[in-house]
Each structure stands twice: as C-alpha cells, then as structure tokens.
Amino acid sequence: MTARVDRIVTSGIFALDGGEWEVDNNVWILGDDSECLVIDAPHEADAIAAAVGGRTVTAIACTHAHNDHVNAAVELASFVGAPILLNPADRVLWDMVHPDRSPDGELADGQKLSVAGVELEVLATPGHAPGAVCFYAPSLGALFSGDTLFNGGPGATGRSYSDFPTIIDSIRDRLLALPPETVVHTGHGDTTTIGAEAPHLQEWIARGH
C-alpha cells in the first residue's frame, strides 16, 4: 500500500506566559491503511483517534511541547496504545502541560522514524521552542515543520523559551537546504514549499520577528 499524508484540523487554546489565544492546529497523519504515525496531538484526542481509525499507530511524534501541540497527546496515547516521542530539550514546556506524565521516548537530531515504508528524518530546529524539531520524508518530498516555518515566514519567537536568531539559523541551515520543491506541512495554516519561502529570508531577518 502507498503511504499518504492526511490532515485534520483541531481547535482550542494556546496558553503561555499568562496569555491565551484561540488557535486552529494541523494534525498530520502519515501512513497507509494498516499503520500510521501522528505528528502532534492538539486539543481533541477523540477527533484524532477517529481519523486514525483502526490503524496501528507507531508513534505520536511531537514537533515541540507548547500546549496547543501536546495537550491531547496523553489521552490519544491511551486511546491508540502508541508511544509519545519528544525532544528532551522541550521537557520544560511539556512539564507545564503534563507534569505527572513523561513522554515515552526521545527524539534526537538525525534520528530516523519509519512508518508504512516511509523514513522520516528528525531535524533539530530550535528557536520557536528549545526542543523544536521538524520531520523530513525525502521519499515523499515532504517536510512537517511544526511551528518552525510557516507559509509566510518563521514561527513566533516573542514568548518564553524562544529566540529569533536561533530560529533563523535553524531555517537557513536546516530547512532552506532542502530541495526547493519540498512541500512544507505546517503546524498551523496552509502548506507551502521550501522554494516559495527561501527568497524571503532576508526580509524576515530585517523584520526581526
């Protein structure tokens, strides 16, 4: 069976530094008819589980641990019996959301995850969060960027545990080095491509946020 990428959108609250914002989050499900991997688990565990259906979930892989990307992860893990994977550099954010439950495994730069015949490479891309990662599937020409790179620029860096020069370094060195036709599946909003975003790097730097 051929692997495919499915998206569902869940809605809820992003909370950090005493503020709250209503957000819509993309949940990416990569797999075939028998198994899949879930990238991020925000807001609505039952909706994500319904999209998974009867498939085996090999992992719930978190791009980072802001609450609007992991607040349904523990409940989803209990529904589908899958391990939660997170870069340990983001434990400070994870523990704000799930202080009594640790992730089941770690993500590290260069690590490979496999599902439905597709290999995903973990790319460490700190900046939006200290342990932010992206997942790159060369065989699909696809990047799952979390909140590191959006259609229109880098993720926000105005709150705790984020840093603008760091996210620019991550995007320039790790993401813009990918083939320009690579499709970028983002944590919020519309997809884009590396080629569409690359020409704007200096504009983002000049804007400074």
Side-chain angles (χ1 to χ4, degrees):
M1 286 176 283
T2 303
R4 65 183 186 274
V5 176
D6 297 318
R7 175 176 73 165
I8 69 166
V9 178
T10 62
S11 301
I13 300 295
F14 167 51
L16 188 65
D17 296 339
E20 293 189 349
W21 300 265
E22 294 184 1
V23 289
D24 296 328
N25 284 68
N26 294 326
V27 183
W28 300 101
I29 302 173
L30 170 62
D32 57 20
D33 290 341
S34 61
E35 67 175 18
C36 63
L37 179 144
V38 176
I39 297 174
D40 290 340
H43 310 307
E44 302 170 44
D46 53 349
I48 302 170
V52 166
R55 293 180 283 176
T56 299
V57 180
T58 59
I60 300 164
C62 305
T63 61
H64 63 296
H66 282 148
N67 77 292
D68 65 317
H69 290 256
V70 301
N71 55 9
V74 170
E75 186 179 4
L76 180 65
S78 68
F79 283 169
V80 301
I84 301 167
L85 307 180
L86 179 73
N87 184 333
D90 248 29
R91 275 302 296 268
V92 63
L93 293 167
W94 172 273
D95 290 344
M96 294 178 185
V97 186
H98 300 294
D100 301 320
R101 165 69 152 85
S102 298
D104 301 296
E106 297 184 352
L107 295 171
D109 187 51
Q111 181 178 343
K112 302 294 198 301
L113 305 175
S114 295
V115 62
V118 174
E119 186 173 84
L120 283 173
E121 180 180 357
V122 179
L123 305 178
T125 53
H128 178 71
V133 301
C134 298
F135 302 102
Y136 177 48
S139 67
L140 299 181
L143 177 77
F144 301 90
S145 65
D147 287 3
T148 296
L149 180 62
F150 290 124
N151 185 328
T157 53
R159 303 187 183 98
S160 295
Y161 308 106
S162 65
D163 184 73
F164 180 74
T166 301
I167 200 172
I168 288 295
D169 287 347
S170 292
I171 292 171
R172 180 183 58 234
D173 299 343
R174 305 307 304 277
L175 303 188
L176 299 188
L178 300 175
E181 65 272 16
T182 302
V183 176
V184 181
H185 299 295
T186 58
H188 307 269
D190 296 333
T191 59
T192 183
T193 65
I194 293 296
E197 302 305 322
H200 302 290
L201 178 65
Q202 294 306 317
E203 297 170 27
W204 305 334
I205 294 171
R207 207 166 59 211
H209 60 83

